[in-house]
Amino acid sequence: MAESVLKLKINGFVRRVAVSDQETLLEVLRYTLGLTGSKQGCDKGDCGACTVLVDGEPVLACLSLAKRNADKEILTIEGLSGPEGPHAVQDAFDNAGAMQCGFCQPGMILSAAALLERDPEPDDEAIRHALSGNLCRCTGYTRIFTAVRQAAGIEADRKGVDPRPAPAPPVDPKLP
Amino acid sequence: MLRLPAFDLLEPTSLEEALHLLAEHGGDAMPIAGGTDLLPNMKHELFTPKVLVSLTSIPALRAIEDLGDAWRLGAGCPLGELANHPGLQQSLPALAEALGAVGGPHHRRMGTLGGNLCLDTRCLYYNQTFQWREALGFCLKKDGDVCHVAGGRKCVAAASNDSAPPLLVYDATVEIVGPGGARTLPVREFYHPDGISNTRLEDGELVVALRVAKPSQGTRAAFHKLRRSGAIDFPLLNMAVSLRLDERGTLVALSAAVSALAARPNLVKGLDRFLGQVPDEALVEAIANRCRRGSVPLTNLATDPEWRRAMVPVFIKRLLQRCLDA
Amino acid sequence: MSDKKKRDQGGADIVKGKASPIHGVDLPGGDVIGRPLRKADGLDKATGLALYTDDIQFPDMLHAKILRSPLPHARIKSIDYSEALAMDGVVDVMVGSELPIPYCVIPWTRDETALCTDKVRFIGDGVAAVAAVDEATAIEACKRIKVDYEALKPILTIEAAKQPPEDEAIHVGNRRGNQHKYVDLSFGDLDAGFRHSTSIAHDDYYFHGTTHAPIEPHCAIGKPEPGGQLCIISATQVPHYLQRELARVLGMAQQNIRVIQPALGGAFGGKSEPFDLEFVVAHLARKTGRPVKCLYTREEVFYSHRGRHPMAMNFKVGLDDEGKIQAVRSKIDLDGGAYSSFGLVTTYYAGQLLTGPYDFASYGFTSTRYYTNKPCCGPKRGHGSVQPRFAFECALDEAAAGLGLDPMTVRERNTMPRVATTVNGMRVQSNGFLACLQAARKASGWDEKWGKLPRGRGIGVAGSMYISGTNYPVYPNEMPQSGVTVQLDRSGRALVLCGASDIGQGSDSMFTYIVAEELGIEPGHVRIVSSDTDLTPVDLGAYSSRITFMAGNACIDACRRLRKLLLEAAATALGQSAKRLRLAGGYAVAVDDTAVSLPMQEVFRLAEAENGTLSASGWYNTPLLGGEYRGGTIGSSPAYSFTCHVAEVDIDLETGELRVPKVWVAHDCGRALNPVIVEGQMEGSTYMGAAELMMEDQDFYPADHAAPGLHLGPSLLDYPIPTSSEVPEFEALIIESLDPEGPYGAKEAGEGPLHSTIPAIANAIHDAVGIRLKTLPITAAKIWRALQETH
C-alpha cells in the first residue's frame, strides 16, 4: 500500500526515511534507522519498553504510526546522552544499580527524564505514577525509584559508591 | 513481532475533509485518533481497514471550552490532558478521575476522549491474536458464530471505557457530525446493548465533542475502577455516582452508573424513589442494593463474575459515602 | 566418585577429573569486593548502546516465522507448504522431518524435536517454519501452509494424566503412559517422627503455573560462516548446552558451531535450554546460506514457557511439645506440560531442597511428574522448590499454631547448625539463617505486630534454603564447571574471557570486581568477553544460581596465577619482599612504606618482560558431594543460601483486595561481593514471588471448553505483572555467613530470595483474617469468598 518519504526529526537531526503507512515509529527507528535503543517487548502497548519522547512526552512507539510523527521532535535513548556524557537520569540509574537486564531501561529512563522535566522534585507517589506505564521484570522498581530521586537531587548518593569508572591509566613518559 | 496489516493513512486537516474521506471510502475506512485501542485491535486482525483517516491533524477537535454553564470537550483531547485539567478536576471530578484511570500514562497521553467514548467492547475471547482466535474457533464478534461467554446469538463483549460511567451520571451529550450533518445524542442514548458494535454512531459519523453541563451547586460525584493491576489494564468494573442534597440535607438528585458488565454501560434506573429522603446508612444500603440488581457481570472479562457482582454495592456505597462526606 | 554416583549420572564416558582448587575465605578482599560499585555494563544499557539479539542485523538477512499448532493434541497427517513456498519473498520452508533428532537439555529425557515430526502436543507447538525476505512475508506465508491434523483427545490435568490414555499417550512409547518421572525417597524414621509429634498439620496445597515473562522476547539469528561453520546468536542463558544440542540435532561437529549470547533482556530460567527458534534459524541459515533471524511474538513467549510447574501437594508436618520438627512427609504431583525440559530435575528438587533451613531427622517425599497437552514447564527462578516451600511453610505455621507458638519462634527453634549435613545428605558449611530471622524480626517490628494488628492487617514469616549451583552438570563429565581466562595487556588492561552468561544478574560485573580486587587495578581497566563459545572457556550457564560461586572461584583461580607473577615483578623492581607488597587502587605498594610504589601498568610491563605474554586460565569444579542413594546427587550443592521473609498485608474485608505494603527480605548470601547488586537480586526475587501469589496465572481452558488447552491470555495485558504503582516496598537485609568455599565467602543471591516470599504473605493473610488459603494465586475474589464462608 502507500509508501512515502518522510522527514523525521530524531535526536535533533532530520532523517529522511521511506516508510509504509502501516509502519510504526518503533519499526522505523529499530529496523530502518538502526536506533535499536528503543525496545520491543509486548507487540502492542502493554509494556512500555518502546517508550520514546515525542515533543517531550513519553509515547509508545509500537502504537504510533511513523507517518504521523512528521512534524514532531522525537527523542530516543540514543539522543538523551550528549557529547558531555550521559544524561543525569542515565547516570543516576547506573549509579543506583537500577538496571539488571536493562531491557526496559531505555523506556523507563525516558519516562523518568520527562517526569523530571515537568516536575523537578517529584514525590514518591508522582514517581510511581509516572513510571507505571513501563514494566520492569527484574528490579521490583525499588532501585529505579532511588535512581529517580537521586537524579532529582532528592536523595543523596549511597555512601561509598564509586562515582564512575576510572579513566584509562596515564601513560608514563619514562616507559618505552 | 505483531505487525499491522497494510492500509493507506490519510491525514485530513479539517473535519469536512475527514468526513468527505470517510464517505468516499465507506466501509473500507476507519477513523483513527490516538490509536491505542484501534492499533492493537488491528495487530490482532480484528479490523483490517484499507484506509485509516487520521483525526489528529484537525485542530477543531482539540479544544477544551468553558462555555459558562457547560464544558465542551473536543473529542481529540488527550485523556491525560483532561484528567489533569484543574477546571475539570474541580467541576467534573468523577470524569477527571475516570480519565486518569485509563490504561497507563502513555495510553492517556496518546488516547483521546472520543476514542475512549467509542472504545471497542472487549472480551477474553475477542482481544487476542488471529492465531489464538483461530485455535478457539473464533467467536460471534469476529470471524465466528458462537459466543463463548453466553452461548447465545447476542454478543456480550463488555463496554470497557472508563469515561462512560461518569459521562452517564453527568448526563453529558455527544456532538456528532456525519454525512447527514450534525446531531447530538445524550450519552445515555449513545450506547446500545450489542457487543459487536455498542454505539449508535452511523457509518461515516464522527464524535466531535462532548458537552457536559456544569453540575448545579452542591452536586458531588465520584468514580471507582475495580482493576487487577495499578496501571495498564482495563476495568473489571467501573462505577460512578452523582448526587445533590438541598440545604436541609435532603437528597434531591441522584444517579449512578455501572459498567464493564456487558455491551452497554448501565445507567442505573429507578433511583428516583430515593429522592426526598435524608441519606442515612439504610438509604445508602438501599441505593447500593438497587445498583446491584441491575448489574450482572459475565465471564467476558474475569472468571469470577459472582465476586464482581458483589463488589457493585460495596463500591457504590463507598462512592455515596465519599459524596456525602465531601 | 563411587560407581553408584556414576550410575546416577547415566554412566557415560567420564573424563578423569581432579579436585578443584578452593580459595574461599582465605582471600578476604575488601578494596573492591564488598563495595557498592557500578555495574560493568550499566552505562551501556542506560544509554541504549548495549546490543540485544534483535538489535543485531546482518546484510542480506532473512526473517523466519514458525507456524504453530492450533490443536492441543493431534497427529500430523500432512503438511502442504507449496503455496507458501511459491510466494514472492519466501526463500525457504522447513518442516520437522528435516531435523528429526530429538533433544532436551537433560540428555536422558530427549523427547522434543526442533519442529513437530509426527504429532503436536500443545497449542503453540511448532509445526513448520518459513524464511522470507522480511518478517511480514514470513508471517503471511505461514498462514498459507496447510496442515492436515487428526485430533486426539487432549490430556490437560494431572488427574487426566493419571488415567490410561483414551486415544494415545502424549509420548507414545513412554513406559508409564503419561507419567514422566516418579521419585520416592525417605530418610530417617517417619513413623517414629510422627509418633513423637504432638501437633501435626496435614493438608493439601496447590501451586498454580506461572511464567517468567522477561521483557525481551526470545530471539535468535543463524549465520553461515566460511568453512562450513555456523554462528548462532541467541537470547539464551546456556550457550554451552545450546551448542551441544545444536550440534547433535544438526548433525554437525560441535566445534563448527559457535553460539554467542549478546546482552540479554531478562530470563529467570525461561531461556535456559534450547528452543525451537534456535534450531530453525540454524537450519534455515544452513539451507539458504544467508543469515536468518527469528523473533518470538509475546504470545510465542508464553507458549515457549518452561515456567513454574503447577504442583498439587499434600504436606504433613509434625512438631513435638517444644515445637521441634519431628517429621515431614509430602506427596507431590507435578503438571509438566508437553515435554520434559528440566522436569527430571524438577521432580527431585520438589523434595530434595526442602531439608533446610530447619533441622529434622525424618523426611519423606513422593514426587511424580506428568505430561499434559500444555506448554512445557521447566525451571523458573527457584527451580522446583518454590512450590513445596509454600506448602511447607504454611504447614509449619499451622503446626505451630497447634502449640500456640509464635511462627518466628518456631523457626528459630528449628534452625539447623551452622555446619551440618541434612537428613538427605546435603553438606552445609555456612548458614546464616538464624541471623536472617533475627534481622527480619527486628527490622519488621515483628514482636509488636504479630497477632496484635487490627483485623484485616497481618504479618507473616517464612524461611527457605537454596543451592549455589548444582554439584553435577546436566551431562556427566568431570571437566570444570567453569573456566576463566584472564589476559593482561601492557596497556594496563585486563581481559576476562568466560563462557558465563550475564543475564542481568551482573556476572560480567562480578568478574570486573574480582579482577580489580586481585590484581589491584581499577575496575574500569577490566574488559569482559563472555558467553561466546568460540572465544571463551566453557561455563555451563546461568542456571541453578551457579555463576558467582563457580565462575567467581574460577576467576580468582586465574587471577591468583597472574597475581603471583605481578607481585614477583613488583618486588624485584621495588626491592621489597613480595609478601610485604599490596596490589590496590592501581598501584603495587609496599605495606611498610607507602611511598614505595609502582603503577600497575608498569608492573604489567615488567611482568610481561620477565615471563612473556601474560595470560592464565583458572577453573572451578565442585567437590564430590551428595547422598549415597539414587538421586542423592540431585540437590547437592557446594553451598546453600538462606532466606527469611517477613511480609505485612492489608486486606479490604469487604472486597478481599490484598495490599502488601512492605516485605522485609533477609538473605544470607555468604558475602556480598557488591551489596547494591545483591540487594537488587533480593528485591527482584521478592517482587517476582509476591506477583506470583497475587496476580500471575499461566492457565488454560479446560477439557470441557470450546478450545481445550488454549492459553487464557498470552499477553502482558492478560497476564499482568506488577507495575510501579502497586509494587510493595521492599527492604533488603544482607546477612554474610562467609562460606568457606565461596569466592570471598560468597553464595548465591539470585533465586533463594524468591522462595519464602510467597508463604510469608500467605501466613500474613492468615494473621490478618484467620484464613488459611491453600490454593494459589490468592486473588481478591478468592479472599472475598473465603471471608464470606467464615461469616
Side-chain angles (χ1 to χ4, degrees), chain B residues 114-200:
Chain B
N116 194 259
L117 189 81
C118 301
L119 189 92
D120 191 20
T121 56
R122 299 185 63 84
C123 179
L124 288 173
Y125 299 105
Y126 170 69
N127 296 97
Q128 305 287 354
T129 64
F130 181 85
Q131 286 73 21
W132 191 99
R133 292 184 296 113
E134 187 183 33
L136 174 74
F138 301 107
C139 81
L140 198 55
K141 185 161 159 72
K142 178 68 183 168
D143 301 326
D145 49 15
V146 185
C147 174
H148 300 278
V149 176
R153 298 293 308 165
K154 199 177 123 199
C155 173
V156 292
S160 300
N161 45 354
D162 298 314
S163 59
L167 290 171
L168 282 168
V169 300
Y170 285 132
D171 200 12
T173 302
V174 190
E175 290 184 19
I176 298 165
V177 294
R183 64 177 179 129
T184 61
L185 206 57
V187 172
R188 66 190 131 75
E189 290 168 25
F190 184 70
Y191 297 103
H192 60 101
D194 180 0
I196 289 174
S197 169
N198 73 340
T199 76
R200 294 193 191 275

Side-chain angles (χ1 to χ4, degrees), chain A residues 2 21 27 43 45 51 58 68, chain B residues 3 8-9 33 43 54 107 109:
Chain A
D21 285 12
E27 287 167 73
D43 300 313
T51 301
R68 294 210 291 183
Chain B
R3 289 173 185 270
D8 284 341
L9 179 69
K43 288 186 174 187
S54 174
H107 301 102
R109 203 165 288 117

Side-chain angles (χ1 to χ4, degrees), chain C residues 445-783:
Chain C
W446 174 271
D447 294 340
E448 291 77 52
K449 290 177 181 166
W450 181 75
K452 296 171 185 159
L453 294 171
R455 184 170 158 79
R457 285 181 57 203
I459 192 165
V461 62
S464 61
M465 171 180 101
Y466 198 63
I467 51 175
S468 298
T470 64
N471 249 76
Y472 298 92
V474 304
Y475 68 95
N477 74 86
E478 292 194 0
M479 292 175 281
Q481 284 225 21
S482 188
V484 171
T485 298
V486 178
Q487 295 177 9
L488 305 186
D489 183 86
R490 57 186 76 171
S491 68
R493 159 306 261 140
L495 172 68
V496 180
L497 303 162
C498 181
S501 297
D502 194 323
I503 60 173
Q505 87 283 36
S507 59
D508 282 358
S509 302
M510 183 262 305
F511 291 131
T512 305
Y513 309 143
I514 288 178
V515 172
E517 173 76 39
E518 289 296 315
L519 306 185
I521 59 177
E522 297 285 349
H525 300 170
V526 183
R527 307 279 187 280
I528 311 292
V529 171
S530 57
S531 54
D532 178 332
T533 60
D534 257 16
L535 303 183
T536 60
V538 168
D539 175 277
L540 296 180
Y543 67 98
S544 296
S545 274
R546 52 178 296 290
I547 290 184
T548 294
F549 199 96
M550 300 194 182
N553 267 325
C555 186
I556 292 176
D557 186 35
C559 288
R560 285 236 111 183
R561 295 165 203 247
L562 293 167
R563 182 183 160 89
K564 185 164 169 289
L565 304 180
L566 296 175
L567 280 169
E568 281 165 6
T572 309
L574 293 170
Q576 301 276 325
S577 137
K579 283 186 180 148
R580 305 300 296 163
L581 285 179
R582 236 183 118 212
L583 308 181
Y587 290 89
V589 191
V591 176
D592 304 313
D593 180 0
T594 53
V596 177
S597 70
L598 208 55
M600 283 311 297
Q601 184 193 9
E602 197 174 332
V603 178
F604 279 23
R605 289 172 178 228
L606 293 168
E608 185 174 343
E610 180 66 28
N611 302 288
T613 303
L614 296 173
S615 163
S617 289
W619 52 282
Y620 175 82
N621 208 356
T622 47
L624 299 177
L625 292 172
E628 288 289 335
Y629 52 89
R630 183 170 178 82
T633 59
I634 302 183
S636 70
S637 171
Y640 295 87
S641 73
F642 295 89
T643 310
C644 161
H645 282 93
V646 170
E648 235 183 285
V649 300
D650 190 348
I651 292 166
D652 187 319
L653 296 172
E654 283 185 301
T655 66
E657 286 171 300
L658 168 68
R659 215 169 57 80
V660 181
K662 185 154 181 178
V663 185
W664 291 265
V665 47
H667 180 72
D668 166 21
C669 64
R671 174 99 186 258
L673 301 186
N674 177 338
V676 174
I677 295 180
V678 170
E679 287 168 9
Q681 288 299 312
M682 292 162 67
E683 292 153 3
S685 292
T686 304
Y687 151 89
M688 194 173 270
E692 289 185 53
L693 176 135
M694 294 170 77
M695 50 170 60
E696 294 180 23
D697 195 359
Q698 166 110 342
D699 206 356
F700 304 85
Y701 285 111
D704 58 0
H705 190 270
L710 183 61
H711 193 291
L712 293 190
S715 72
L716 289 176
L717 185 66
D718 290 331
Y719 185 96
I721 63 175
T723 72
S724 60
S725 59
E726 80 271 21
V727 70
E729 186 186 334
F730 304 116
E731 186 174 332
L733 308 156
I734 292 175
I735 303 296
E736 297 185 310
S737 64
L738 299 182
D739 188 83
E741 294 184 11
Y744 311 101
K747 303 185 284 191
E748 74 89 35
E751 300 188 72
L754 192 152
H755 290 72
S756 37
T757 316
I758 296 165
I761 297 173
N763 287 339
I765 292 169
H766 186 267
D767 184 46
V769 291
I771 290 171
R772 173 62 60 192
L773 290 164
K774 290 173 279 201
T775 301
L776 294 177
I778 300 180
T779 58
K782 211 174 273 179
I783 296 176

Side-chain angles (χ1 to χ4, degrees), chain C residues 19-37:
Chain C
S20 182
I22 300 292
H23 298 287
V25 284
D26 66 309
L27 289 170
D31 292 321
V32 180
I33 293 304
R35 296 188 57 203
L37 295 171

Side-chain angles (χ1 to χ4, degrees), chain A residues 31 39 101 128 137 143 162, chain C residues 52 54-55 683 696 724:
Chain A
Y31 304 121
K39 303 303 182 195
C101 84
R128 280 176 174 255
R137 190 60 165 164
R143 249 140 256 276
D162 275 14
Chain C
Y52 298 78
D54 187 45
D55 299 341
E683 292 153 3
E696 294 180 23
S724 60

